[in-house]
Amino acid sequence: MSGITHSFDIPARQSFVIDMVENKEDLGNAIALNSLLFNSAMLIGPSIAGILLAASGEGICFLVNGISYFFIIISLLLMRVRPAKMLNSKINISKEVKEGIRYVYDCIPMRYIIILLALANLLCSSLYSTVARICKRTFLPAV
């Protein structure tokens, strides 16, 4: 279920970053910052949760998680983003994908950002599942 949720959430979040940037020259920095925050949260979050779980128990972990969502919702409500204009034309998806790949290939900074993100996702996604297995084994022994 988490994978299905992320398949919708991550592209929407990434396209929202593009809408938030007013000066398109800053777009590369905004994308890199968003990715840094997302991957840092995936790395640091489970560590903090493990420490909190060991120190206080599951109830406090759920409480802290719920409070964090409250602050996220407030932050989203305070944002002012111009409404996007809807286009009525049909879009050729394969053409758009090829254009995106060509842009990333031709733009050296963007190419390096994409390579860095690919490496981070490749190396950190297995870390996340490994930490989850270790926490499960350590804090939830078999009955």
Side-chain angles (χ1 to χ4, degrees):
M1 291 305 292
S2 178
I4 292 171
T5 303
H6 281 122
S7 69
F8 291 100
D9 178 52
I10 292 173
R13 187 184 312 252
Q14 290 173 346
S15 66
F16 189 55
V17 169
I18 294 169
D19 290 340
M20 288 189 299
V21 176
E22 290 180 12
N23 188 358
K24 296 305 177 189
E25 295 168 353
D26 296 331
L27 189 57
N29 290 334
I31 292 170
L33 180 62
N34 180 54
S35 298
L36 173 75
L37 292 173
F38 183 78
N39 289 316
S40 297
M42 285 184 60
L43 183 65
I44 296 169
S47 303
I48 293 171
I51 293 168
L52 191 61
L53 180 66
S56 328
E58 298 87 1
I60 297 297
C61 287
F62 280 108
L63 178 65
V64 169
N65 190 31
I67 291 170
S68 73
Y69 280 104
F70 175 75
F71 288 112
I72 291 169
I73 291 170
I74 295 296
S75 298
L76 288 172
L77 290 174
L78 292 174
M79 292 178 73
R80 300 290 175 240
V81 179
R82 291 183 307 261
K85 295 178 183 175
M86 299 299 291
L87 300 175
N88 291 333
S89 63
K90 287 202 164 222
I91 297 174
N92 185 346
I93 293 177
S94 63
K95 179 182 172 189
E96 296 286 326
V97 169
K98 288 177 188 175
E99 184 179 329
I101 292 171
R102 189 177 321 114
Y103 172 75
V104 169
Y105 183 77
D106 292 340
C107 180
I108 293 174
M110 194 62 71
R111 187 183 331 163
Y112 288 141
I113 290 171
I114 296 294
I115 291 170
L116 182 62
L117 287 175
L119 288 173
N121 284 321
L122 178 68
L123 299 174
C124 291
S125 63
S126 62
L127 174 69
Y128 181 73
S129 62
T130 302
V131 169
R133 274 187 264 131
I134 291 170
C135 288
K136 183 177 181 182
R137 193 176 17 200
T138 304
F139 298 114
L140 303 172
V143 180

